[in-house]
């Protein structure tokens, strides 16, 4: 299971996929694709990946404790959904025109769909995380940008789930080593 860094790990995995599949064809430098906040006016990147929300994935709840070595059990992981937007940095000195921006977004969407299963764990209890494009309305997208006090701009909105955040809470227990039964013959 993944520890507290899982959120950052998933963001970096998406970033890695984008860099490997877009550079140098449409964007010259891998560093021009970055984890970024749309409000950052000084950053020089072309394509930004912004994590804008994290929610618990209640449908995926696991109730059973996970047995560890010895007489210990770990509480189950918390399943999460991470919500991202991929956006063009229109203030970047490298951006040339609207057509190029649309090509970059088209390729980014293609990369996300070609890698819809983000990672597959070797451990059978962990599963894998899926990338899903979000069917947000224009109003929902506008709200995301208005909260940031940034004018709306075109982007790709997607989620990654389930992302399993492990618990560090461990419980010890005693094993049953002997049992006595008194069976009386009643007749």
């Amino acid at each position: 299971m993944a520890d507290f860094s899982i959120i950052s790990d998933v963001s970096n995995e998406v970033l890695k996929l984008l860099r490997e599949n877009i550079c140098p064809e449409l964007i010259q430098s891998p560093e021009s694709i970055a984890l970024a906040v749309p409000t950052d006016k000084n950053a020089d990147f072309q394509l930004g990946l912004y994590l804008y929300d994290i929610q618990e994935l209640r449908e995926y709840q696991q109730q059973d404790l996970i047995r560890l070595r010895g007489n210990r059990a770990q509480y189950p992981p918390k399943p999460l959904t991470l919500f991202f937007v991929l956006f063009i940095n229109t203030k970047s000195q490298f951006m040339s025109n609207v057509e190029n921006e649309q090509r970059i977004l088209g390729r980014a969407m293609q990369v996300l769909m070609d890698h819809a299963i983000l990672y597959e764990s070797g451990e059978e209890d962990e599963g894998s995380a899926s990338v899903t494009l979000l069917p947000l309305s224009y109003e929902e997208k506008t709200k995301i940008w208005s909260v940031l006090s940034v004018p709306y701009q075109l982007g790709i909105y997607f989620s990654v789930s389930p992302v399993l955040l492990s618990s560090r809470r461990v419980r010890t227990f005693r094993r049953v080593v002997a049992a006595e039964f008194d069976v009386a013959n009643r007749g």
Side-chain angles (χ1 to χ4, degrees), residues 65-66 68 72-76 166-172:
L65 295 176
I66 299 163
L68 302 173
R72 300 173 345 130
Q74 183 179 25
Y75 282 78
S166 65
S167 173
R168 287 194 171 177
R169 191 170 166 203
V170 175
R171 189 173 121 190
T172 57

Side-chain angles (χ1 to χ4, degrees), residues 107-184:
R107 181 65 183 124
M109 187 177 290
Q110 191 177 48
V111 169
L112 292 174
M113 293 301 86
D114 285 349
H115 299 90
I117 303 299
L118 195 56
Y119 61 84
E120 293 187 72
S121 171
E123 298 176 36
E124 65 181 59
D125 63 332
E126 281 193 43
S128 57
S130 298
V131 174
T132 305
L133 292 179
L134 299 174
L136 299 179
S137 69
Y138 179 76
E139 289 76 25
E140 291 170 313
K141 293 174 185 178
T142 303
K143 284 180 187 177
I144 293 168
W145 293 95
S146 66
V147 167
L148 297 168
S149 299
V150 175
Y152 171 83
Q153 61 186 88
L154 188 61
I156 301 169
Y157 301 81
F158 65 97
S159 66
V160 176
S161 66
V163 174
L164 302 179
L165 178 64
S166 65
S167 173
R168 287 194 171 177
R169 191 170 166 203
V170 175
R171 189 173 121 190
T172 57
F173 58 90
R174 291 180 171 236
R175 293 186 182 267
V176 176
V177 291
E180 288 185 31
F181 296 97
D182 184 17
V183 180

